[in-house]
Amino acid sequence: MAKSSPVKCIGILTAGGDCPGLNPAIRAVTKTAQSVFGMRVIGIQDGFRGLVENRTVQIEDQMVSGILTRGGTILGTSRDRPHKMTMGGKTLNMIPAAVENARRLQIDCLVCLGGGGTQKNALRLARDGGIRVVTLPKTIDNDIVETDISFGHDTAVGIATEAIDRLHTTATSHHRIIVCETMGNKSGWLALRSGLAGGADVILIPEIPYDLGIVASALMERRRTGKKFSIIAVAEGANPGSDDAEEPSAAGAVENGFEDSVDTAPVISRRIGNGLVQYHEVQEPIASRIARELQELTGTDARVTTLGHVQRGGIPSAFDRILCTQLGTRAVELIAEGRFNVMVAYRSGECVPVPLEDVAGPVNMVPVDHPLVESARKVGTCFGD
Ligand code: F6P
């Protein structure tokens, strides 16, 4: 017998970068909604764009059977934002269309699985469109505030750690410096955790400005004591300090049409044919620049591995499967209790609602005195400072 609930139909969407854990969360939301509360569940395809374009699928139980162990998202995702959506070459505020479709579909509450940008977009739908929302914290970067961890992060740490383990064997064989670039454009949690777990000798993150001269000295000291190889874990957003940073031009810091990704590379204008085009100058990946400069500073052969989207692929870890099941089931309970416009946060093993206003905007950065940083320093890890 289904428990009572003022909500009869929920919509669910996945937005932003994909990651392992999305499907277990979709499964938990769907099973709880249908079997415990008798709710209908409508899947919205490709993030907020699917809501604007009315691309949906009725989620039945057999659709979520077997997806606990599947990476990615069965609904598809996008980085599109409802208030600044590119439609036919124009950037338009499509919140009214989203609201109209939610009304027509009789969606009483929209569950949004996503990262920092998704939290902001969900809050906009609630504030400007009156859509009731509940969100879950998803990102391999773990840069969402008010929660101990975001789902996807644990799986990505495992992938990056295994990569660093593998890089150790080749670095020791060839006596090389190997720079391993992880994702993490705003915060360094992924580089910090995988670097610590993988025993990286140097960890460079956005929160701690680094001086390559200090890094080079640390590597040469290692060599002097007989360690002829070194592994460097660097977040893609690592901060080269003020003197050797290639400051992006002010004009380069333009927001493109996707959630959160602000491309800060200098803008190039080119006349092609009869038209003038603008694009961001392709930047040398930070790991390549670090490897090149360290090779010059230390005289040691250096190589680069950029893990990129490998960190977002594959099956979810056991921890992420359990976390997503807890977050998803709790989200539906909160909806049945009439608790809306909150993110379901994971705190000390509990799933608790946090007002979206407190989540949308701030970034969960690594505190420079965090216990993980202190532990890494105590085992001799260099942070370039
Ligand atoms: O979702 C976060 C993230 O993985 C960042 O770590 C990374 O910089 C970005 O997404 C990559 O975005 P895209 O998948 O759009 O290339």
Side-chain angles (χ1 to χ4, degrees), residues 17 79 138-141 183-185 236 309 312:
R79 290 190 179 278
K138 172 277 311 170
T139 173
I140 67 167
D141 297 355
M183 282 187 159
N185 49 20
E236 62 182 321
H309 291 71
R312 297 210 324 233

Side-chain angles (χ1 to χ4, degrees), residues 327-345:
L327 291 171
T329 52
R330 185 74 183 110
V332 179
E333 286 171 346
L334 289 168
I335 290 168
E337 293 165 14
R339 303 284 298 274
F340 304 115
N341 303 338
V342 296
M343 178 185 81
V344 187

Side-chain angles (χ1 to χ4, degrees), residues 10 12 26-35 38-43 56-67 74-75:
I10 60 176
I12 183 167
I26 293 167
R27 171 181 176 270
V29 167
T30 300
K31 284 181 173 291
T32 307
Q34 290 176 339
S35 57
M39 297 173 186
R40 282 188 304 118
V41 181
I42 295 176
T56 63
V57 57
Q58 179 91 14
I59 301 185
E60 303 302 345
D61 190 62
Q62 80 277 359
M63 270 183 74
V64 296
S65 172
I67 70 170
I74 59 171
L75 294 176

Side-chain angles (χ1 to χ4, degrees), residues 95-232:
I95 289 180
V99 171
E100 172 54 22
N101 285 333
R103 186 194 60 75
R104 247 175 8 80
L105 291 162
Q106 297 180 314
I107 289 175
D108 301 317
C109 181
L110 182 64
V111 178
C112 304
L113 314 183
T118 300
Q119 309 302 326
K120 287 189 276 189
N121 293 329
L123 179 58
R124 272 195 193 93
L125 281 184
R127 271 185 180 153
D128 302 351
I131 294 181
R132 296 184 294 191
V133 296
V134 168
T135 68
L136 298 190
K138 172 277 311 170
T139 173
I140 67 167
D141 297 355
N142 194 45
D143 61 4
I144 297 174
V145 298
E146 300 292 339
T147 181
D148 291 350
I149 194 167
S150 297
F151 73 78
H153 181 62
D154 179 71
T155 303
V157 169
I159 293 167
T161 300
E162 184 187 350
I164 292 172
D165 290 346
R166 290 172 182 277
L167 291 172
H168 258 99
T169 56
T170 178
T172 51
S173 304
H174 288 267
H175 321 304
R176 282 170 168 163
I177 296 166
I178 294 193
V179 183
C180 179
E181 182 177 311
T182 72
M183 282 187 159
N185 49 20
K186 299 193 194 83
S187 72
W189 291 106
L190 193 42
L192 175 59
R193 286 198 163 98
S194 58
L196 187 58
D201 306 297
V202 180
I203 298 175
L204 304 178
I205 58 177
E207 297 86 345
I208 302 178
Y210 66 82
D211 175 330
L212 270 188
I214 294 174
V215 174
S217 301
L219 302 188
M220 290 190 280
E221 177 58 17
R222 279 180 52 80
R223 183 166 280 276
R224 196 184 61 77
T225 58
K227 299 181 184 109
K228 298 180 181 172
F229 76 97
S230 289
I231 302 284
I232 300 172

